[in-house]
Amino acid sequence: MAETFDAVRRAVGCQSAVLESGLTVLVRPMPGYSSTYAIYGTRFGSIDLDFEVDGKTVHLPAGTAHFLEHKMFESEEGDAFARFAKTGASANAYTSFDKTCYLFSATDKVDENLDILLSMVNEPYFTEATIQKEQGIIGQEIKMYDDSPDWRVMTAIFGCLYQNHPIRHDIAGTVESIASITPDMLYDSCRAFYNPGNMVLAVAGNVTMEQVLAACERAKLPARPGSVRRIEADEPAAIARPEARFSMQVAKPCLGVGFKEAPVRGVKFEVICDMLTEVICGGMTPLYRTLYDQNLVNPGFDGEFLALDGLCCFMFTGETDQPEKVRDMLLAEIERLRTEGVDEELFTLCKNQLYGEMVQDLESTESAASLLAGSFLRGCRPGEELEALASVTKQDLDDALQTMLRPERSATVVVDPT
């Protein structure tokens, strides 16, 4: 197994460079592939609401990072989506809790598409009129999220677990919060977080490092001196409230169980957390088989974890006609594992499964570029997650269970059909 891990780690390896502007460039040439996938990302997400830039304190309304993502496609030259369409590329962007990424996939005119990608992010353009127009567009998007039971369960879990952390706010904000966004706020955000030193350009597929560096040279990315300091919320250890229940148009009740943990970061820690969700209710576990065989949950019932600055939590979600019973069975299984320890065979199966998923990610240009960008934005090296997985032992999981996933730091969310 160790030799196999070494082979895959070498396959993850990519070509890298740090430009004079501070931008990190990561390229994974994939000979024989017809497509190229590029991601231009920055460490700026929905939780970055309060910061200091060049001595100026800035407080942003919820949804600013997502709003800025939308505005970056506009310029005095027109809409970047239209420019990408003319080259035949497929372009998109997304904002998460801690990052914003702009991307394209193309089988042709890669150089031209790189030029479009770099210029649209490097040359922000905001006016009162264009902001007002976008407020209406994003307001409709916010209403769409309000109709998603999965999204509502997740945001309700955060609201139960956290008292002050900005994770409590929806990524897109609210209609009221985005109404207060101004051009100055967006320019302040660009100056603070759209600095090349805070960004990464990750490209994978039918491309060379020379092509990507040439595009960066043409873009004339400026080195932007200055500093930004995030202002973290004072978050107590206790949860905000133990439960939330509401109704919406769903075919079956939805359950969410969340656990608030100490805000620890680190690649190995995150791999351990990932494995904990798999050994508790993954498809190979006794709990999942029991829940599924008794028709208590749908096949989509699963667990996940989230680790950000000042935050770490677990969430277990799915549809069930008996939410209280499923929650109690989940808590009982966690307690059993805490007492008896993780089964050795199950640990090995889950470890191999995660390893297989990592290997599979290397076969896709999209996944490979996402892996490279994600590594930088999380502050780690490409392939470091694989190295951490190789070092994780059953004892690591048993030790983690002694302090994590405690019922006193849990909260339950139930969505009933209207």
Side-chain angles (χ1 to χ4, degrees), residues 97-152:
F97 299 115
D98 60 346
K99 60 183 173 291
T100 305
C101 292
Y102 305 85
L103 53 94
F104 74 79
S105 176
T107 57
D108 195 15
K109 300 182 179 178
V110 172
D111 295 341
E112 187 175 343
N113 287 308
L114 284 170
D115 291 343
I116 298 171
L117 181 67
L118 292 170
S119 66
M120 62 174 267
V121 178
N122 187 40
E123 301 166 4
Y125 171 72
F126 315 120
T127 67
E128 293 281 1
T130 59
I131 286 177
Q132 186 175 3
K133 175 184 175 182
E134 199 66 42
Q135 285 165 340
I137 296 172
I138 295 181
Q140 294 301 314
E141 184 177 339
I142 290 170
K143 292 176 182 178
M144 290 174 59
Y145 278 115
D146 287 342
D147 292 333
S148 168
D150 292 341
W151 191 258
R152 292 281 302 278

Side-chain angles (χ1 to χ4, degrees), residues 3 8 31 40 54 62 102 132 147 149 152 197 232 243 245 267 282 300 343 418:
E3 292 180 357
V8 175
Y40 197 17
D54 299 334
Y102 305 85
Q132 186 175 3
D147 292 333
R152 292 281 302 278
E232 293 189 5
E243 61 183 4
R245 192 164 196 144
V267 178
D343 178 78
T418 54

Side-chain angles (χ1 to χ4, degrees), residues 19 34 40-41 44 54 62 110 130 133 137 146 155 157 169 193 238 259 261 270 302 309 311 339 344 347 353 356 409:
L19 309 185
S34 60
Y40 197 17
F44 179 47
D54 299 334
V110 172
T130 59
K133 175 184 175 182
I137 296 172
D146 287 342
T155 54
I157 289 175
H169 302 295
F193 298 106
F259 296 83
E261 308 295 346
E270 293 176 12
D302 65 0
D309 290 339
L311 173 150
T339 302
E344 185 75 51
F347 166 78
Q353 175 180 304
R409 294 199 299 269

